[in-house]
Amino acid sequence: KQEVTQIPAALSVPEGENLVLNCSFTDSAIYNLQWFRQDPGKGLTSLLLIQSSQREQTSGRLNASLDKSSGRSTLYIAASQPGDSATYLCASRTLLTGKLIFGQGTTLQVKP
Amino acid sequence: DAGVTQSPTHLIKTRGQQVTLRCSPKSGHDTVSWYQQALGQGPQFIFQYYEEEERQRGNFPDRFSGHQFPNYSSELNVNALLLGDSALYLCASRLGQREAFFGQGTRLTVV
């Protein structure tokens, strides 16, 4: 049974800092891993999708990496801004089931 | 492209009542999934529909049922509501095995 864990649960950093959010999963037989952003009370916005055959994906100030052998993914945010404050969720998907298994999220606060 | 749209955005129901939530997938998408997100938790998979049939189901009781229509839109029905059903209900759509996109959710409050 796939389990996804995100540590830390909360993070507070000053504006401009580079930071890394961690996601670990127990079953390496994933099809892809997706990172989402969620603002309070809102839906999920897809940030990056990494296929199992890929090692990383980049979009603007965001870079996500995937290491299947160690069961880890990281989301790197460069030069953080107050507008980056939100909850970040990672989710793994297997080809067989198609459903997304989510971590509990990391709530990020970027202070001006 | 309007993306994934859900209605209503907010809903208040009384224990024991029934509720129907609606979802229109992103244009071109054929697979719709529903998730329940309790406060402070990650979303939990309820079920997935493809070609108008339930293809997978998570660990939710039979009180939770759904439907997918020929135009790929979907409904989530919950019967005999419990206080514990209060949550944000999220709909996601995708085409085949591609990236999933989520709607803004329906906030259900059971009183």
Side-chain angles (χ1 to χ4, degrees), chain A residues 1-4 26-27 99 101, chain B residues 44 59:
Chain A
K1 177 186 174 185
Q2 177 74 286
E3 293 183 2
V4 178
T26 55
D27 187 350
K99 67 181 180 182
I101 306 295
Chain B
Q44 298 291 317
N59 189 26

XYZ file of all heavy atoms in Angstrom, chain A residues 1-4 26-27 99 101, chain B residues 44 59:
83
model
N 0.832 -1.181 0.000
C 0.000 0.000 0.000
C 0.877 1.245 0.000
O 1.749 1.397 0.849
C -0.906 -0.001 1.229
C -1.774 1.242 1.363
C -2.534 1.241 2.671
C -3.283 2.554 2.857
N -3.939 2.639 4.158
N 0.623 2.126 -0.964
C 1.428 3.337 -1.092
C 1.097 4.306 0.027
O -0.072 4.555 0.324
C 1.155 3.984 -2.448
C 1.875 5.295 -2.716
C 3.350 5.120 -2.996
O 4.125 4.846 -2.076
N 3.738 5.320 -4.244
N 2.137 4.839 0.647
C 1.989 5.893 1.639
C 2.909 7.042 1.237
O 4.053 6.813 0.838
C 2.330 5.386 3.034
C 1.359 4.360 3.560
C 1.679 3.916 4.979
O 2.638 4.440 5.560
O 0.969 3.027 5.478
N 2.380 8.239 1.365
C 3.135 9.429 0.998
C 3.240 10.326 2.227
O 2.238 10.579 2.894
C 2.451 10.180 -0.160
C 3.222 11.451 -0.507
C 2.335 9.282 -1.383
N 6.428 5.173 -0.256
C 6.895 3.847 0.150
C 7.008 2.861 -1.014
O 7.800 1.931 -0.950
C 5.955 3.257 1.202
O 4.618 3.257 0.690
C 6.002 4.073 2.493
N 6.208 3.041 -2.043
C 6.208 2.121 -3.180
C 6.873 2.796 -4.374
O 6.343 3.763 -4.891
C 4.774 1.718 -3.517
C 4.706 0.627 -4.577
O 5.749 0.308 -5.191
O 3.599 0.106 -4.806
N -5.264 6.287 -9.339
C -5.651 7.250 -8.317
C -4.410 7.934 -7.763
O -3.299 7.391 -7.785
C -6.413 6.565 -7.186
C -5.570 5.599 -6.359
C -6.425 4.952 -5.272
C -5.604 4.003 -4.438
N -6.430 3.320 -3.400
N -2.349 9.359 -4.595
C -2.163 9.212 -3.160
C -1.408 10.442 -2.681
O -0.279 10.693 -3.120
C -1.357 7.946 -2.808
C -2.000 6.707 -3.425
C -1.219 7.810 -1.289
C -3.362 6.385 -2.869
N -8.363 12.554 0.009
C -8.512 11.100 0.001
C -9.372 10.706 -1.200
O -10.448 11.266 -1.405
C -9.176 10.628 1.292
C -8.367 10.938 2.544
C -7.108 10.123 2.648
O -7.111 8.927 2.388
N -6.004 10.779 3.012
N -11.667 3.784 0.016
C -12.254 3.209 1.217
C -13.383 4.085 1.746
O -13.283 4.687 2.829
C -11.171 3.016 2.277
C -11.659 2.238 3.466
O -12.589 1.449 3.353
N -11.041 2.467 4.609
